[in-house]
């Protein structure tokens, strides 16, 4: 039954994307089929094969080592602040972002990341039928993050059409920043985090190609990536360390605010209706969880987490899931975990449009204008990745 619902869910997601398309005649079927097949193949490789398990285990060990190194710096600054045996969320999950951000800065400074992002993006453009810049943007978003990625193409922004900006924003909102992947792995199983990164990359291209198809001529389809301003190594390092700290503090502030608000709203709803706000959201989202292949007896709880992620952010939902009180099956845990790994939530509309406005006021306004469409598309990407996970688990 779950498999049948997964197939129905897959058809519904693709059908809805087709239904809200701005140019149905412009949809190219061949790249869509190729990317959908790649999603299943890569998902199967990562979740069901020895090679995939070994690969994911290796990547998880790399991030575990990075988190261990980060712990040395955190302990030096905050040692003794916690009670013996306790592990404060801010210190163990958020503070390592500072160190991983520094590593990303170093890899970018020595030109490894730009080389990787440019040439993998070029290769993907041969598969997905999209422009070279759009393909680069998909890879870069998964590494740099949904706001930082636009800095790397700031010289191209004035020449980009509304359609191209929309596609790039969908890709950016569908992915996550590599600097916080380690923090996700502290809350979710690493294999689900890595699977989500891969599936969301192709899912973003698939949904964009359905919702927002367009053709580029050869002159438009150029890939000219702006180089970073000339900085010394330690100037760069200081900048990335501070950027990482800013991200950690921002996430902490949002978590404090959102978790406190949810607690208050749950209390109010519980007094009035006998059900918490999250329980009500769970009933509303239960059908959506059901079409991903989650059994109905788990759909309400899973729907609650999915809705929490959409109305707040992924960290709030992940911390709820990490509490371990949900009694989900392994398959449901996999589906929900993959769904949660993306920036698709309402606050991301403001983050992306704000970042864009800081670079180009006109383009920022265009992104804000299409904000709900971008969020809907990015949410469909999350559902697509979750459904594929359920079908191959």
């Amino acid at each position: 039954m779950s498999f049948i619902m997964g197939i129905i869910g897959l058809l519904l997601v693709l059908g809805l994307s087709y239904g809200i398309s701005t140019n149905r005649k412009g949809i190219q079927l061949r790249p869509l089929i190729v990317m959908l097949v790649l999603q299943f193949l890569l998902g199967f490789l990562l979740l069901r094969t020895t090679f995939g398990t070994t690969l994911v285990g290796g990547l998880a060990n790399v991030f575990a080592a990075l988190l261990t190194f980060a712990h040395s710096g955190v302990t030096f600054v905050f040692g003794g602040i916690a009670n013996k045996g306790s592990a404060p969320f801010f210190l163990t999950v958020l503070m390592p972002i500072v160190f991983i951000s520094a590593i990303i800065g170093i890899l970018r400074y020595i030109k490894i990341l730009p080389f990787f992002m440019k040439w993998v993006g070029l290769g993907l453009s041969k598969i997905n039928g999209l422009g070279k810049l759009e393909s680069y943007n998909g890879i870069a978003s998964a590494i740099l993050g949904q706001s930082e990625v636009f800095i790397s193409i700031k010289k191209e922004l004035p020449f980009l059409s509304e359609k191209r900006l929309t596609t790039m924003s969908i890709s950016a909102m569908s992915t996550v920043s590599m600097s916080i992947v380690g923090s996700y792995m502290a809350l979710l199983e690493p294999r689900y985090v890595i699977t989500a990164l891969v599936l969301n990359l192709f899912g973003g291209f698939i949904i964009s190609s359905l919702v927002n198809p367009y053709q580029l001529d050869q002159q438009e389809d150029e890939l000219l990536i702006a180089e970073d301003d000339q900085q010394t190594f330690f100037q760069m390092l200081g900048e990335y360390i501070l950027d990482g700290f800013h991200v950690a503090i921002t996430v902490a502030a949002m978590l404090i605010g959102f978790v406190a608000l949810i607690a208050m709203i749950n209390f109010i709803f519980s007094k009035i209706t006998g059900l918490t706000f999250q329980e009500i959201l769970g009933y509303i989202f239960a059908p959506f969880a059901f079409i991903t292949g989650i059994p109905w007896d788990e759909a309400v709880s899973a729907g609650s987490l999915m809705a929490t992620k959409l109305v707040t952010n992924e960290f709030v939902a992940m911390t709820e899931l990490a509490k371990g009180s949900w009694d989900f099956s392994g398959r449901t845990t996999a589906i929900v975990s993959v769904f949660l790994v993306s920036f698709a939530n309402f606050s991301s509309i403001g983050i992306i449009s704000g970042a864009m406005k800081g670079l180009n006021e006109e383009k920022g306004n265009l992104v804000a204008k299409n904000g709900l469409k971008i969020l809907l598309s990015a949410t469909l990407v999350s559902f697509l990745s979750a459904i594929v996970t359920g079908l191959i688990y």
Side-chain angles (χ1 to χ4, degrees):
M1 180 63 182
S2 295
F3 182 82
I4 294 172
M5 286 311 305
I7 294 294
I8 293 172
L10 180 65
L11 295 175
L12 284 174
V13 167
L14 296 177
L16 178 57
S17 301
Y18 178 80
I20 63 174
S21 176
T22 56
N23 179 23
R24 293 172 191 166
K25 292 182 179 179
I27 295 173
Q28 301 178 63
L29 284 179
R30 182 181 169 279
L32 286 174
I33 294 171
V34 170
M35 287 188 289
L36 198 57
V37 170
L38 278 173
Q39 269 200 317
F40 278 98
L41 288 176
L42 292 170
F44 184 85
L45 179 71
L46 291 170
L47 293 175
R48 298 288 298 273
T49 68
T50 303
F51 173 78
T53 304
T54 304
L55 177 64
V56 170
L59 290 172
N61 288 337
V62 169
F63 276 98
L66 291 177
L67 293 177
T68 301
F69 299 143
H71 182 68
S72 301
V74 173
T75 302
F76 179 79
V77 176
F78 293 105
I81 200 171
N83 296 325
K84 187 175 181 179
S86 66
F89 182 88
F90 180 73
L91 301 185
T92 58
V93 176
L94 297 185
M95 279 293 95
I97 292 174
V98 177
F99 175 65
I100 295 176
S101 179
I103 295 298
I104 289 175
I106 292 170
L107 291 174
R108 197 170 181 188
Y109 186 82
I110 61 179
K111 308 299 183 184
I112 291 177
L113 275 188
F115 179 84
F116 174 81
M117 292 185 298
K118 180 176 181 179
W119 292 106
V120 173
L122 281 171
L124 281 174
S125 68
K126 306 295 183 183
I127 298 172
N128 59 29
L130 296 172
K132 296 171 186 174
L133 194 63
E134 286 85 340
S135 300
Y136 160 84
N137 183 79
I139 289 289
S141 296
I143 295 173
L144 303 178
Q146 65 179 340
S147 54
E148 293 84 353
V149 66
F150 293 109
I151 298 173
S152 70
I153 57 170
K154 59 186 175 183
K155 291 187 178 179
E156 296 292 303
L157 286 180
F159 310 105
L160 297 179
S161 66
E162 184 174 346
K163 282 184 173 293
R164 298 189 78 183
L165 283 171
T166 300
T167 288
M168 291 180 184
S169 298
I170 291 170
S171 285
M173 196 183 287
S174 300
T175 55
V176 294
S177 168
M178 197 61 70
S179 64
I180 59 176
V181 165
S183 299
Y184 292 161
M185 289 182 180
L187 300 169
L188 306 175
E189 284 191 45
R191 61 175 177 151
Y192 300 143
V193 176
I194 294 169
T195 299
L197 289 173
V198 174
L199 295 183
N200 287 349
L201 174 64
F202 286 98
F205 295 145
I206 291 169
I207 299 300
S208 296
S209 298
L210 283 167
V211 172
N212 188 45
Y214 52 87
Q215 295 291 325
L216 297 174
D217 58 40
Q218 190 171 0
Q219 187 175 0
E220 287 180 298
D221 191 20
E222 294 182 355
L223 183 59
L224 300 172
I225 307 303
E227 295 288 338
D228 288 339
D229 293 333
Q230 291 299 316
Q231 292 179 303
T232 67
F233 177 81
F234 288 103
Q235 283 177 322
M236 173 282 302
L237 192 59
E239 180 182 314
Y240 272 84
I241 288 171
L242 290 176
D243 285 345
F245 186 73
H246 176 73
V247 170
I249 293 295
T250 301
V251 172
M254 292 181 71
L255 284 173
I256 291 169
F258 277 126
V259 171
L261 282 171
I262 286 177
M264 182 184 73
I265 294 170
N266 279 339
F267 175 80
I268 294 170
F269 271 78
S270 181
K271 291 296 183 182
I272 296 174
T273 67
L275 295 171
T276 66
F277 178 64
Q278 283 176 292
E279 287 173 336
I280 293 172
L281 285 178
Y283 284 109
I284 294 172
F285 262 71
F288 299 106
F290 186 55
I291 65 168
T292 64
I294 293 174
W296 184 253
D297 60 344
E298 297 177 308
V300 173
S301 296
S304 174
L305 288 171
M306 291 175 170
T308 298
K309 182 246 186 178
L310 180 63
V311 300
T312 57
N313 62 45
E314 74 282 1
F315 264 114
V316 176
M318 286 178 188
T319 52
E320 288 286 328
L321 179 60
K323 290 178 181 177
S325 58
W326 296 90
D327 197 28
F328 287 146
S329 65
R331 188 166 179 274
T332 296
T333 299
I335 293 171
V336 173
S337 297
V338 169
F339 180 89
L340 297 183
V341 182
S342 86
F343 287 140
N345 58 67
F346 283 99
S347 62
S348 286
I349 299 175
I351 291 171
I352 291 179
S353 61
M356 192 78 79
K357 282 184 180 181
L359 299 169
N360 187 299
E361 182 75 21
E362 178 190 354
K363 303 305 180 184
N365 290 332
L366 286 177
V367 170
K369 169 188 165 185
N370 292 288
L372 290 178
K373 179 180 179 180
I374 293 166
L375 175 59
L376 174 59
S377 300
T379 303
L380 288 173
V381 173
S382 293
F383 273 110
L384 179 59
S385 296
I387 289 167
V388 171
T389 300
L391 289 172
I392 62 181
Y393 182 80

